[in-house]
Amino acid sequence: MQMNKLKNKISRRQFLQAAGASAAALLLASCSGNSASSVSSSSVASSEAASSAAASSEATSTVTTTGKTLVVYFSATGTTQGVAQTIADTVGADLFEVVPSDPYTSDDLNWTNNDSRVSREHNDEGLRAVALESTDVDGWDDYDTVFIGYPIWWGIAAWPMSSFVAVNDFTGKTVIPFCTSTSSGIGQSGELLAELAGTGSWLDGQRFSRSSSEADIASWVNGLNL
């Protein structure tokens, strides 16, 4: 009987000691687990912050380097300039005017006079290499879409525009020609400029008359789905 009580006491003492040890082990594991969890959470937060910053930087870079549109134009009498301005206003594009170093006067443009400047240039292709004030566009490489505008002279693009196209690299750009004329259509003027450029993806162009309205021009531009 006393032996049984002694065994019970020993068993109870051993149980209490084992329980205490288990509790201590559980407490230590709990503390260690919380510490590891804290470190893990901190690492995840830091990683997420870094990823967010990288994504933000990438988004900013994308916004500032793509989608820019430019309208390049040569205008002898102001008609092409008006169309170019409407196109720029419609799509939020920048403008660049092609300006001959020796500007054309009204007498120069009198195509009915065989001795006028444009008549002589038409008759002698060697005279068509018209010098320009500038062919360099600031940030040229940033433009993905370029409109090219000009009046029609004798069925082709006015040659000052050829002087611009010949010295610029249109690689990677979508190029859209447009022209103005009293009666002539756009003909092969855009195709000839594309051949001269040798680079870029040139689309079919559009001809406008002096009577074309801003609504007509805007309708054409919006139909391009740029």
Side-chain angles (χ1 to χ4, degrees), residues 174-225:
T174 297
V175 189
I176 309 167
F178 66 93
C179 70
T180 58
S181 71
T182 301
S183 58
S184 300
I186 193 168
Q188 292 184 311
S189 61
E191 296 172 18
L192 293 174
L193 288 177
E195 290 178 7
L196 181 62
T199 57
S201 177
W202 291 67
L203 305 185
D204 293 336
Q206 181 70 20
R207 173 255 181 187
F208 297 98
S209 68
R210 186 182 295 273
S211 62
S212 296
S213 67
E214 292 185 1
D216 293 333
I217 299 167
S219 176
W220 171 68
V221 174
N222 289 328
L224 296 172
N225 298 317

Side-chain angles (χ1 to χ4, degrees), residues 81-94:
Q81 182 180 32
V83 176
Q85 184 66 63
T86 299
I87 292 174
D89 291 342
T90 302
V91 298
D94 296 329

